[in-house]
Every structure is written in structure tokens, then in C-alpha cells.
Amino acid sequence: MYKVVKKTRIADVVTLLEIEAPALAKKARAGQFVIVRLNEKSERIPLTLANWDAAAGTITIIFQHAGRSTHELADVQEGGEIRDVVGPLGTATEIENYGTVVCVGGGIGVAVLKPIAKALKEAGNTVISIIGARDKSLIILEDEMREASSELFITTDNGSYGRQGFVSNVLTDLIAEGRKIDLVFAIGPVPMMRVVADLTKQHGLRTVVSLDSVMIDGTGMCGGCRVTVGGETKFTCVDGPDFDAHQVDWAELVMRKKTYAHQEKCQLDAYKGGKG
Amino acid sequence: MGKEIGIREEMPRQAPEVRRCNFDEVALGYSVEQAVGEAKRCLQCKKKPCVAGCPVEVDIPAFVHLIAEEKFLEAAKSLKTTNALPAICGRVCPQEEQCEQLCVLGKRDQPIAIGRLERFAADYEAANVDPAGKCDVTDRRPPVANMGKVAIVGSGPAGLTAAGELACMGYDVTIMEALHDPGGVLAYGIPPFRLPRTILNREIDYVRSLGVTIETNAIVGKLYTLRELLNEGYDAVFVGTGAGLPQFMKIPGENLNGVYSANEYLTRINLMKAYKYPEYPTPVRVGKKVAVIGAGNVAMDAARCSLRMGAEEVSIVYRRSRAEMPARAEEIENAEEEGVKMDLLTAPIRFIGDDEGFLKAMECIRMELGEPDSSGRRRPVPMEGSNYIQEVDTAVIAIGQSPNPVVRQSEPDLQTTKWGGIITDEETGLTSIPGIYAGGDAVTGAATVITAMGAGKKAARAIDAYVREKKGL
């Protein structure tokens, strides 16, 4: 059992949980994730490691209430317990001094991006960050991202906060201005990552994305998270989650993420029905 | 009883038309009368050839004799002096290729049903003494236990066996398991209709009762490295991480929705209990028409699970002929009785999806057998122009697994073969790093439960010798 020591609703449908997991807190690195199973019957769900504190022995996960399992997880109270938390999973992001790095984050993807931006800045990079969401209520970790970046741009689709438009619009402008960019990280919904990948490919800018495929064990055992990168099948859980954006077969990823769309909808309806 | 000596007692089973609709155990176990009758067939040979066929060295004639004398609890106790997991082995070991193959009776007639008797004794003990199976703890655990600390990586058959052996020698043993439940392939792979979870958990509890601690959600290679375990107080480490990495066929369409690795398919159904969906919310897509590619025990498990999940047509698609099928004869028979079709000398060459990316068909080609290949089996050769398209909405790839990569990726000094198997000394299980031992599928690639247990047992002895020498004991 893993105790929830802090719970905060950080945006409209986004919850932050700080969980006691001392061994995990010592080992976590930027770019890695955990798998959480709330109780004996629950699904195993892969979630972002947004923060960790080795001294306090805690890790922080941030997630959007999307399906039944994340809604149930968001119902856990401070002081409550989660049955299983395993990690850190995945290969850590390669952090070095690349020069100038643009960190592009969309929606909940900012939770994955934040520790990466922070580590990049600590490694001596100039970090330019662009974060965006549909509207103001979904913008998360603004202060933390400001701290982790030399410059921060914010966009909302409807213009309710920051600049109106998409994160990719800002990136387009930076490129047009002739800013020196050595590497781009793009983390967020698949359509966003895909647009950024297409854009940077045209300009020959190396780009890394972090994928969140459907998975069960997260240890290389099930192969459910397979994704085609550069024509080869890779497992997101052990080969990723970071991949070269220009090599990812995006159409296949979109397709595979819909495998259980029907069941997910039924489960969510049942959850909401049960609550109502 | 009263039968002629050549014929073994039949195992009562659920009727095929009933069992194909439930996940309850198929084989129902011997009655007391059947067990005694079968045990009395044993010739009690002085040379005990059967024992040589048992990787964990069970004294087979001894426990069989105790059953014949109706001393069932003593039979269970006798088994447990060499095998901590008798109810599991009695169910899933391929006895026909091991102990039973060497039975003298088998030369002319049917060999003694050693596996069934093993199962009987273990189940009898559980039903009649102590549900936790703790009856002989004090017999095996030495009074002074302070030999040292050993970490076991993985709680599958190899790890559980090594842990039990070391605990009985007086070591403080901790098993690190990456998943949320212990058992490894016994929990995620083998379906409950072959190995009920109450049986699995009972024997895992027995290993715990010997003093073994099992830490779940502990992924070695990520949460701890092997070196850290050695540096942080463990005298030795045993790696039994299994063959968890699924192999794919590398043919077009393999990543379509509805094409599964057998690992994922079985994990969803067995470990995550998708067979109780939606009470357990993990989904699995089992279509009306299911094709399982491969013909080993894992393939049979996937095919039989598919029927139980409601599939209307289930076929095994195998590129060689019946004679080369690697599954146990008993499992093939069970599958066919339940209605699984055998599509032999056939191989898929392409999976075909609908507009949404869901599998709807596969293109297959017929094969014929040519000259023997490196495995000694006749090589399947495609027959030109024999291609055809078969409608299918779920495909399960069960063509084998490679060793799990997580531990070796975290430890560059750990020498492995080009296909990822950990290189060890055959007798001791010692790896290229002093103090680190390995065994089971992580070393051999996918093999059997009992081979893994044998490796765990050997490594436990080697670890004991290593620690004694290191400490001057």
C-alpha cells in the first residue's frame, strides 16, 4: 500500500497526488513513468512522474480525469492509499547540454515536460518553453515551467489565456525569427506532437516526443505498447517512452490508442451512472 | 482399483461442452480410491529411474509408496522435502517427458501417473490439514537461521524454488517481483482452468511460511540494480526474471488492433482477470473468429481461453505438422475436445485490417515439410500459389518469448547471449558477476516450469556454498 500524502486539484479535470514511495523517489529520473493500480480489481494505468523528492520519500503524479480508472484515482482522499505503484519505468530522457532547447507541452503533457525542462536547464541549456491547452482552466504548472525555463510562452485554443492559437504557432514564429534551436521536445496529445513533428521535420530540427501507448505491465512483457519507429517495432515501456518524432508512425499510434475506445466509454458511463 | 497393472487410472475431467464455458479447473483430481489404486501399480524399483527424470529430485517411489499405504499426509511431507510447489508441478509439469518417461512400467504398458499422484498428495494435505499448507514448516526450517541475506529477482517457478531452498538452509530471503502479484508466468500466463489461483496462492503462501519475504512492485533494473543489492547487504542475488519478451512474426499488419502477443492476451485475461469483465475493468478484445499462431502450451492456453471468452471459432495455425507440435499431448487433446481447430502446415503472411485499423482477415500460405533444419525438425517450406484469405477478428501470436531485457540493460557487466539469455555456469548458475546467479527461462529462453525449478534448486546450493566460503562458515 502506498499512502497519498497530498492531493490537489490543479486544473479543471486534472489532479495531483503526492504518494509515499521512498525507494522510487530515490531512483526517478526525468522522462520516466509509473504504473498505478488503485485496488485489487483496478486496471494498471501508466502515469506521468511529474516530480519526486528523495528526501521526503515521495513521488508526484499528475493526471487528467479521462476514463473510469483515472476518475476513481481522483476520488482517493488525502491520507488514503493506493494498492500498487511500480516504477520508475521507461528509459530516462537523455539530458545533456544541447545548447538551446525548445520544450513544447500540450495539456497534461506539461506534467511530463516539466521535469525534463528542469533537468535540461540544470544541465546548462537555454530552455524556451511553450505550453498550451484548450482553455485557461486546463493550463497546468505555469509557475513551475516558468522557473524551469529561460522564456515561457502560453497559448490557449480559445484565447482565454496567453496567446490565442496552438503551441505550434509559437514554434513556427520562433523558427521564422531565426532563433537558434538545437533540439525540440514535444509532449502532449498525439495531434499536437504530430503537428510539431511535421513542422520541425521541414526545418531539420531534431525533435523528441514522449509517447503514452496502451500498456499493461510496463516491463517489456506484454508488447501491447508497441509502436513503429523508423520502420521497426519498438515497445514504448522499455525502448521509450522518448522517441525520435520524425521516425514515429503516427497513424498507427492513433489507431492503436483506439483499441479499447468502446470499452473505455462503457466503463466511464458505468462509473458516472454509479456516481449519479 | 482391481484393474490390470498395465492401465493407469483415468483423470476425471469436466466434460468438454461444460468446461469450454468456464474458467474452473478442467482436471478434477483423483479420488482417494483412484490414488491408492494408481499408487499400488508402482513396482518400487530399487534403481528408481524416474527420479533421474525429475529436475528437482523428488523421491518419487517414496511418496508413491506412502500413498499406496494410505499415508497421504506423510506423502505430502515427503514431496515437500524436495519440492516446495507439488500442487503446481502435479498440474503443469510435462511428466510424460520427464519422470514418467523413465518409468519401468512404461516400457510395456502405461507408466505410473506420477504427476497426478503428486497433485493428489498436495491437494489432500491442503484439504485435510491446513489450508495454508504450513504443516511441515518446522521440519524444514532449521532452528538457527542466520546464514546471510539473499535477494531473488522474480517470483516465478525458478525464484520461488530458489527462495524456498535457501530459506530452509537458514537464509534471510527476499523476492523482488515487478508485477503486483507473485507467481510470474504461473500468475500471468497459465490460465486458472489449468492452475487455479487458490492452488497457486496456497503454494506461494507455503514459501512465505518458510520465512521468505515477497516484495511486489519491485522492478530490479529500475528500482534497484543488481550491484546495489550486493552493496546494500545481500550476500548473493539470484536472477529468475523469465522469458517475458514476446516475439512477433515481423509480417505486415502485425500491429493492427486485435493482433496480440500471447503474453498480452493471457495477461489481460489471467492476471488482470478480464474474464470477469466488467467487474474487473481491464478489457480484452476476443472476436468471434480467433486464430492462435503457434502450437506450444502457450498457444493451447490462448486458444482455450478464447473459447471460454465466447469466441465461436478458434483455430491453432501452425506451420509444421501435428508430429512437431511442441505442446503437451494432453493439452492438445483438451483443446481439440473443447472444439479448437488445428490448421496445420499453414502460416500467416499478412494481417488485413478494416478502415479503423481493426483486424478483419489474414492471408495464409500452405506449407509442406522439407529437409530437417537446425532444430532437427523438418523445415516447413511454403507451397507457391497456395495463398488464401481467412476471416479472423482476433489473432494471438504465440511463437515464443525471449528473456526479459530490463535487468541486463541495467547491468552492462552481466554477460548475455546474442538472443538475450544470461550466460551462466551450467552446474551452479553463476553469471559473469561474482555473487550473482541466474536460472530458468532468463537463461534458457522459454522452457518449462520444472526446468526452471531445477535451475533454482541448483543455484540455491551454489549460493549456499559461495556464502559459506565467503564468510568462512
Side-chain angles (χ1 to χ4, degrees):
Chain A
M1 287 293 192
Y2 299 79
K3 193 175 168 197
V4 174
V5 295
K6 188 179 147 197
K7 174 181 167 180
T8 320
R9 189 83 168 247
I10 61 167
D12 205 11
V13 286
V14 180
T15 292
L16 173 154
L17 296 179
E18 191 177 330
I19 303 164
E20 258 178 25
L24 218 167
K26 264 193 238 170
K27 279 303 177 69
R29 295 290 174 270
Q32 291 185 300
F33 64 96
V34 293
I35 283 184
V36 170
R37 192 175 75 130
L38 177 58
N39 58 50
E40 201 272 319
K41 290 184 178 174
S42 305
E43 289 185 273
R44 291 170 66 95
I45 44 175
L47 293 171
T48 296
L49 260 173
N51 199 17
W52 48 92
D53 183 337
T58 61
I59 60 159
T60 300
I61 54 173
I62 292 177
F63 56 94
Q64 189 160 357
H65 316 171
R68 168 179 161 172
S69 296
T70 41
H71 274 92
E72 286 177 349
L73 194 58
D75 290 339
V76 176
Q77 297 305 312
E78 217 165 81
E81 284 179 331
I82 295 173
R83 185 170 171 123
D84 299 294
V85 178
V86 62
L89 300 171
T91 305
T93 300
E94 279 176 42
I95 302 291
E96 47 184 275
N97 191 347
Y98 299 101
T100 300
V101 182
V102 177
C103 291
V104 187
I108 195 74
V110 176
V112 192
L113 190 63
K114 193 219 73 181
I116 295 174
K118 184 168 169 243
L120 286 167
K121 193 178 181 191
E122 283 166 5
N125 292 280
T126 299
V127 177
I128 304 171
S129 296
I130 311 166
I131 63 172
R134 266 203 323 275
D135 62 54
K136 188 183 175 186
S137 69
L138 293 168
I139 293 286
I140 59 167
L141 302 174
E142 180 185 343
D143 294 342
E144 290 85 348
M145 282 302 294
R146 199 174 298 284
E147 201 179 310
S149 316
S150 320
E151 269 180 89
L152 177 71
F153 298 89
I154 297 172
T155 68
T156 50
D157 298 4
N158 62 6
S160 55
Y161 193 57
R163 175 177 157 178
Q164 199 228 318
F166 303 118
V167 285
S168 50
N169 300 140
V170 177
L171 181 59
T172 305
D173 291 352
L174 292 176
I175 295 169
E177 285 165 21
R179 296 281 285 264
K180 171 182 164 292
I181 299 172
D182 298 293
L183 182 65
V184 176
F185 277 88
I187 305 173
V190 170
M192 180 220 103
M193 291 193 282
R194 205 171 173 177
V195 166
V196 171
D198 288 346
L199 175 65
T200 56
K201 194 171 186 180
Q202 288 167 31
H203 296 276
L205 297 175
R206 203 184 130 206
T207 302
V208 177
V209 286
S210 175
L211 304 183
D212 63 332
S213 315
V214 175
M215 64 178 74
I216 301 272
D217 61 293
T219 67
M221 191 266 279
C222 83
C225 64
R226 59 197 192 275
V227 54
T228 302
V229 181
E232 271 182 58
T233 294
K234 299 280 183 190
F235 290 0
T236 301
C237 67
V238 288
D239 300 319
D242 290 2
F243 291 106
D244 178 344
H246 301 152
Q247 301 291 322
V248 172
D249 182 338
W250 293 103
E252 182 186 278
L253 180 66
V254 169
M255 173 198 95
R256 285 191 63 80
K257 283 172 77 88
K258 288 184 188 154
T259 306
Y260 300 105
H262 173 70
Q263 288 91 335
E264 282 160 9
K265 186 179 176 301
C266 295
Q267 287 284 333
L268 185 57
D269 290 346
Y271 167 82
K272 286 184 171 165
K275 283 225 126 182
Chain B
M1 280 205 281
K3 282 189 187 167
E4 54 180 304
I5 195 168
I7 311 239
R8 59 159 70 180
E9 290 283 345
E10 277 296 316
M11 176 63 111
R13 289 180 296 167
Q14 280 196 74
E17 62 280 9
V18 175
R19 69 184 193 239
R20 61 171 285 171
C21 302
N22 68 55
F23 275 81
D24 299 337
E25 191 168 19
V26 168
L28 301 171
Y30 278 163
S31 65
V32 166
E33 292 73 24
Q34 284 179 304
V36 172
E38 181 63 22
K40 283 185 172 165
R41 292 177 60 223
C42 177
L43 300 174
Q44 293 291 318
C45 318
K46 285 239 162 54
K47 281 190 173 172
K48 306 181 185 182
C50 51
V51 178
C54 177
V56 296
E57 303 152 19
V58 168
D59 188 344
I60 295 163
F63 95 81
V64 172
H65 181 65
L66 288 165
I67 293 177
E69 293 202 318
E70 304 194 23
K71 293 176 180 165
F72 306 128
L73 291 178
E74 282 176 50
K77 205 163 170 176
S78 163
L79 271 165
K80 282 187 171 176
T81 58
T82 43
N83 181 1
L85 313 173
I88 294 172
C89 288
R91 286 171 166 82
V92 305
C93 276
Q95 293 97 8
E96 66 280 3
E97 295 170 11
Q98 314 223 323
C99 50
E100 292 177 11
Q101 195 178 35
L102 299 170
C103 175
V104 172
L105 275 179
K107 284 180 186 160
R108 280 192 50 198
D109 302 301
Q110 289 182 308
I112 292 285
I114 298 167
R116 295 171 184 178
L117 289 174
E118 181 180 30
R119 167 192 165 137
F120 169 81
D123 287 1
Y124 184 93
E125 180 209 20
N128 290 283
V129 175
D130 177 349
K134 293 177 187 171
C135 83
D136 62 358
V137 173
T138 46
D139 284 10
R140 287 205 74 192
R141 192 145 172 84
V144 183
N146 200 10
M147 294 291 298
K149 275 176 76 183
V150 180
I152 308 281
V153 185
S155 64
L160 287 172
T161 304
E165 290 294 316
L166 286 159
C168 290
M169 295 173 190
Y171 289 87
D172 180 357
V173 182
T174 301
I175 302 182
M176 318 277 178
E177 167 55 49
L179 289 172
H180 56 257
D181 282 336
V185 71
L186 303 170
Y188 74 73
I190 297 180
F193 56 83
R194 280 217 289 138
L195 178 61
R197 294 308 180 253
T198 47
I199 305 286
L200 172 61
N201 292 334
R202 186 174 89 208
E203 297 210 321
I204 290 172
D205 284 346
Y206 171 68
V207 173
R208 281 199 179 100
S209 77
L210 297 171
V212 173
T213 303
I214 304 179
E215 191 184 329
T216 52
N217 299 318
I219 176 165
V220 173
K222 297 286 185 188
L223 194 62
Y224 317 108
T225 64
L226 295 178
R227 297 270 185 198
E228 280 166 356
L229 293 173
L230 285 182
N231 293 339
E232 286 166 21
Y234 288 98
D235 297 299
V237 180
F238 174 78
V239 181
T241 45
L245 191 72
Q247 290 167 9
F248 288 93
M249 305 183 70
K250 301 194 164 124
I251 60 175
E254 203 163 26
N255 291 347
L256 285 165
N257 297 339
V259 182
Y260 285 98
S261 74
N263 273 0
E264 179 180 7
Y265 196 67
L266 292 172
T267 299
R268 285 180 178 273
I269 295 171
N270 300 324
L271 180 73
M272 303 310 297
K273 300 193 171 68
Y275 69 94
K276 294 183 184 169
Y277 182 90
E279 183 194 353
Y280 285 76
T282 301
V284 63
R285 287 184 56 92
V286 180
K288 290 199 168 98
K289 295 178 179 180
V290 180
V292 178
I293 322 302
N297 290 319
V298 172
M300 297 305 145
D301 286 344
R304 298 172 70 198
C305 279
S306 302
L307 288 172
R308 286 161 174 78
M309 295 295 289
E312 290 167 9
E313 281 175 36
V314 179
S315 54
I316 291 279
V317 178
Y318 183 49
R319 62 197 181 123
R320 301 180 199 252
S321 73
R322 185 172 287 263
E324 290 84 19
M325 288 171 82
R328 294 180 69 188
E330 182 182 315
E331 299 307 330
I332 297 170
E333 183 191 323
N334 277 328
E336 288 197 297
E337 278 180 6
E338 289 166 15
V340 174
K341 219 177 102 217
M342 299 292 158
D343 240 338
L344 305 174
L345 290 166
T346 302
I349 53 173
R350 173 169 74 105
F351 293 106
I352 302 161
D354 65 13
D355 297 341
E356 306 278 310
F358 288 90
L359 177 70
K360 65 170 187 184
M362 61 181 191
E363 183 175 346
C364 294
I365 190 163
R366 295 287 183 197
M367 314 290 274
E368 57 191 347
L369 292 180
E371 294 299 305
D373 62 15
S374 59
S375 73
R377 298 178 298 179
R378 292 177 66 192
R379 183 195 303 275
V381 182
M383 292 166 70
E384 215 174 303
S386 66
N387 303 36
Y388 66 99
I389 302 233
Q390 179 183 339
E391 266 184 50
V392 58
D393 32 33
T394 301
V396 183
I397 315 287
I399 57 168
Q401 299 92 238
S402 311
N404 188 290
V406 172
V407 165
R408 70 170 187 267
Q409 282 169 357
S410 72
E411 191 52 77
D413 293 339
L414 190 68
Q415 284 177 14
T416 54
T417 64
K418 64 178 188 302
W419 48 266
I422 300 172
I423 296 173
T424 59
D425 176 88
E426 204 174 318
E427 274 313 298
T428 62
L430 179 64
T431 68
S432 52
I433 303 174
I436 296 178
Y437 295 74
D441 286 3
V443 170
T444 57
T448 62
V449 168
I450 191 69
T451 317
M453 291 176 60
K457 192 158 193 163
K458 271 188 185 173
R461 281 185 197 142
I463 287 170
D464 179 48
Y466 166 78
V467 176
R468 281 175 185 277
E469 196 191 324
K470 193 170 88 169
K471 295 190 168 180
L473 294 170

